[in-house]
Amino acid sequence: MIIYDIPEKEYRLRGKLRATLKALGYKFIQKSVWATPMPVEIELEAFLRKEALWGKVLAIKAVLSPEENKRLAKVFNLKDRVSEKR
């Protein structure tokens, strides 16, 4: 899960972050909150460091039970792509 508050004056950077989150499989939950069941921590960290957003964006990783993971995968329509071992 990603939570951020990027000022309006940095709207281009905010747009770039949103586009990257979409490309990594994140889905919009509510204003400035995005989530994904995909294991994309390495890619996300690389992007955040490259764009000097590391420390400005709160990234939270949750450990899910296999049942919760299956349910989340259905919500994200990723049933075949998400491992139950996460």
Side-chain angles (χ1 to χ4, degrees), residues 5-72:
D5 185 17
I6 298 175
E8 182 60 33
K9 66 182 180 180
E10 297 182 68
Y11 71 93
R12 286 191 177 113
L13 184 56
R14 190 176 57 223
K16 193 172 186 178
L17 173 61
R18 289 177 183 152
T20 300
L21 292 174
K22 287 178 187 177
L24 290 174
Y26 282 83
K27 295 219 181 201
F28 177 80
I29 303 298
Q30 67 180 42
K31 186 178 179 181
S32 301
V33 179
W34 294 68
T36 185
M38 302 302 292
V40 294
E41 298 90 357
I42 294 170
E43 296 90 340
L44 178 64
E45 182 177 344
F47 170 78
L48 295 176
R49 288 187 185 280
K50 177 182 171 213
E51 299 298 329
L53 286 170
W54 188 256
K56 296 179 183 178
V57 173
L58 178 60
I60 302 167
K61 182 177 179 179
V63 178
L64 304 176
S65 70
E67 295 81 19
E68 291 169 324
N69 200 39
K70 283 181 186 179
R71 185 175 54 81
L72 187 61

